[in-house]
């Protein structure tokens, strides 16, 4: 009985370590608002994160970015990321955009891009659109998610309190998700251990009853 419990404990600890490693490798998805103040002649990351509601469902996604300058009335398609390939569409951004989102997967949840050499002409409204196809066992379901970011280009960076709080909340959320996973693993171990002990007791009781004349 002791050996069975030790084996069960080792198995559950191994599963817990694998789960934690997977969580750390893939990272917890937390939707954080992008910064909105860019500095002229510097680089700037346009953040856009769209988490799946059900992480266990496989999916593929593409990301498109649109831009409307402060003196324009319509959005222009400036960038797309499809099947590991990025394309800069608007000549104003040629050689100035780079993919900074999800890596090595078609199941995109981070659609961020990076702007090199920001100019005052980059001030305006940016729209990020996720086109996602969720692949269930017997069917597929398509969803679209869009996020709008208003960017202001300034000569010097003046980071606001909202940006600082947003970053802090991101790390707090990630730590909370990791702790939740540990608690769930401990709870599952206790339930399985209790069920195993009960099964062993029942087995021992049946053996003893058979030995009785």
């Amino acid at each position: 009985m002791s050996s069975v419990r030790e084996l069960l404990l080792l198995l559950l600890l191994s599963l817990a370590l694998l789960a934690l490693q997977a969580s750390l490798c893939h990272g917890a998805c937390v939707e954080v608002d992008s910064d909105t103040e860019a500095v002229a002649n510097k680089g700037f990351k346009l953040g856009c994160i769209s988490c799946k509601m059900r992480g266990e469902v496989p999916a593929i996604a593409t990301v498109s970015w649109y831009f409307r300058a402060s003196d324009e009335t319509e959005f222009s398609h400036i960038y797309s990321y499809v099947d590991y390939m990025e394309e800069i569409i608007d000549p104003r951004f040629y050689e100035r955009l780079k993919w900074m989102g999800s890596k090595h997967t078609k199941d995109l949840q981070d659609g961020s891009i990076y702007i090199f050499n920001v100019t005052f002409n980059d001030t305006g409204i940016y729209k990020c659109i996720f086109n996602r196809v969720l692949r269930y066992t017997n069917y597929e379901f398509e969803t679209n998610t869009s996020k709008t970011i208003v960017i202001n280009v300034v000569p010097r960076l003046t980071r606001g309190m909202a940006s600082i709080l947003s970053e802090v909340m991101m790390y707090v959320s990630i730590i909370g998700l990791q702790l939740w996973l540990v608690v769930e693993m401990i709870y599952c171990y206790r339930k399985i251990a209790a069920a195993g002990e009960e099964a062993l007791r029942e087995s021992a009781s049946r053996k003893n009853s058979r030995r009785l004349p």
Side-chain angles (χ1 to χ4, degrees), residues 70-128:
S70 54
D71 58 348
E72 295 176 341
T73 58
E74 296 183 357
F75 282 93
S76 300
H77 192 187
I78 63 172
Y79 178 92
S80 65
Y81 187 85
V82 180
D83 197 17
Y84 304 113
M85 299 294 293
E86 54 183 319
E87 180 183 6
I88 302 174
I89 300 168
D90 194 309
R92 292 173 293 182
F93 293 92
Y94 280 171
E95 299 184 350
R96 292 206 301 129
L97 297 180
K98 179 182 179 182
W99 178 251
M100 290 288 287
S102 302
K103 305 289 186 182
H104 312 299
T105 179
K106 294 182 181 180
D107 189 358
L108 306 176
Q109 297 190 81
D110 185 350
S112 304
I113 58 175
Y114 192 83
I115 305 178
F116 294 95
N117 191 26
V118 173
T119 70
F120 288 102
N121 291 330
D122 296 331
T123 297
I125 301 175
Y126 293 80
K127 183 182 293 185
C128 166

